[in-house]
Amino acid sequence: RTCLGHSRQSMHRIPPTRFPHLLSPLLSNQIRRLLAPSTISIRQTSSLFSYDRTNPTNPTNPANPTPSAPFSQSPHHDSDSEIVKSAEELFHRVWTDLTHKYTGGPVFPKEIIWLGGAPGSGKSTHTAFIMKKRGFTADPIMMSDLLTGPELQKLKAKGLLINDLTVINLLFEKLLDPSLQTGVVVDGFPRTPIQVECVKLLYQHMQELHNNHGPPFQRPVFRVAVLYIEEPDSIERQLQRGREIAEHNKKVREQGHGRLKEERTTDVDEDAARTRYLVFHAQTYNSLMALKNQFPFHIINSQGPTSQTQQNILREFQYQSSNELDEETYSVIRRIPLASESLRHVRQQLISRLESYQRLNPELFEEVTKLIESTFIPIIKRNAISGQTRFYTEERLFLEHPVALDMVIDVLSERGFFASFEERRIYVPDSVDLSSGKIINKCQAVFRFFIAYSRPQIR
């Protein structure tokens, strides 16, 4: 009563993320029941209907929008335990069918990103960017496309609803496509509490296959990502897209060539755009949030321009060994410090070493500095145009005083050069023991230096 008593303007100032049950009176009864703040919470509701992007409402009667034919319908459950039990029964049926069909066992992709994007968040553009950065080569699995295939059309023609069992069967079969083995993005799943539980069960079964059998069953890596924008920005972007498409189609019709683009109701009707956003919030967003404590979870701010959103994606999906590697492998290598940790105080350490050379061994430090000045610098100058210098030396000072090598590297580094060296020991015949015929070798040390610096700009 409080919700419907508000004017539209005042009601929409309330963030939907905080009060998902405060709905526009334009929403259908089905959506209201899905989000109603009564005895049934969103997380406890498993009913789900399809959302037709091209016609989410009835334009002739906007006060009573009519959703398109349901694509998933599950019985209502009053408790989390009943949801889990139903999900386990459903998953068991699907998994049993797969194990019978794939005698060696179903081999799923190593990495699956469960993705949701608010309307107007630029999901198509950003999904391609995520796939490129993660090294995925196969197309994403779009649930909206998967649920409009030939098999589904036959069910709809018979007047049958597409339930969770059918949806999960279709998705799992698609995930077993060999082209997806390196990784895949799944767009628009899960959308019901039962589907959420099935994602958890899939991870558990993939992990068991990996632990018990090893290759070809890879250790699963699941990630959850949401491209998020607030409701006002979503509505404005949808309407802006509608204006751009209308202008494009107008030119195509006037000029007589080109391809017409799809004109969606949600791109021209503000109420329809708002409804689409709320449907996203009720289905995709809340279902993905239920996985927040199970897998690496990324809410990616898509409010800004494309470049800024892509920087957010890079930051969220940067490599983390604890997420990518299995526990045994990670426990072995984690003792090695990260490069960032090793380099954290390198400047202070360099200063400390240089001062210790002068304090503890001033004569040798002076000799090394003169050697750099007389031998190294002339060679560097002769190769200045190339931006790098490589040369060998048999300088006895380095053999007699190994610390002199450290002094050379530190002095050159302090002067702005990038220097490294390697030592090679060559054993050269020196004499022969005439009584035994044994050849006596002497050790000859060769030191190879590599020095790099900024290349001068000639042209």
Side-chain angles (χ1 to χ4, degrees), residues 42-77:
I42 294 172
R43 195 164 57 86
Q44 294 170 333
T45 305
S46 58
S47 63
L48 175 65
F49 56 86
S50 66
Y51 181 72
D52 187 346
R53 296 184 303 179
T54 61
N55 186 22
T57 63
N58 181 355
T60 60
N61 185 11
N64 185 24
T66 304
S68 58
F71 70 74
S72 179
Q73 186 76 27
S74 302
H76 170 65
H77 302 273

Side-chain angles (χ1 to χ4, degrees), residues 416-427:
F417 296 95
F418 305 94
S420 62
F421 77 92
E422 64 178 21
E423 178 182 357
R424 294 182 180 179
R425 292 180 180 265
I426 302 173
Y427 292 90

Side-chain angles (χ1 to χ4, degrees), residues 117-164:
S121 63
K123 189 167 56 174
S124 299
T125 300
H126 299 315
T127 298
F129 184 77
I130 290 172
M131 292 172 59
K132 180 180 179 181
K133 293 306 174 183
R134 296 303 300 170
F136 299 170
T137 55
D139 292 336
I141 297 177
M142 312 291 291
M143 293 304 297
S144 57
D145 296 338
L146 195 64
L147 298 174
T148 55
E151 299 85 356
L152 276 295
Q153 296 299 336
K154 293 178 183 177
L155 291 176
K156 291 178 181 179
K158 296 177 182 179
L160 299 175
L161 297 177
I162 305 170
N163 56 26
D164 278 328

Side-chain angles (χ1 to χ4, degrees), residues 319-322 325-338:
Y319 176 81
Q320 293 181 335
S321 53
S322 59
L325 302 173
D326 59 47
E327 285 188 34
E328 293 81 4
T329 305
Y330 179 62
S331 64
V332 172
I333 69 171
R334 66 183 302 178
R335 298 192 300 269
I336 308 301
L338 296 174

Side-chain angles (χ1 to χ4, degrees), residues 2-73:
T2 303
C3 169
L4 300 182
H6 279 284
S7 68
R8 182 183 305 169
Q9 182 178 7
S10 63
M11 181 172 65
H12 290 149
R13 285 201 295 267
I14 301 174
T17 53
R18 294 182 57 192
F19 302 101
H21 57 276
L22 298 185
L23 301 177
S24 165
L26 297 173
L27 289 181
S28 70
N29 291 331
Q30 281 184 286
I31 304 179
R32 287 174 184 160
R33 285 198 299 271
L34 182 66
L35 298 177
S38 59
T39 57
I40 304 172
S41 68
I42 294 172
R43 195 164 57 86
Q44 294 170 333
T45 305
S46 58
S47 63
L48 175 65
F49 56 86
S50 66
Y51 181 72
D52 187 346
R53 296 184 303 179
T54 61
N55 186 22
T57 63
N58 181 355
T60 60
N61 185 11
N64 185 24
T66 304
S68 58
F71 70 74
S72 179
Q73 186 76 27

Side-chain angles (χ1 to χ4, degrees), residues 337-356:
L338 296 174
S340 57
E341 296 174 356
S342 301
L343 302 177
R344 186 171 298 165
H345 305 296
V346 65
R347 183 171 62 87
Q348 292 86 344
Q349 293 169 355
L350 173 64
I351 293 172
S352 177
R353 288 196 303 271
L354 288 170
E355 291 180 345
S356 68

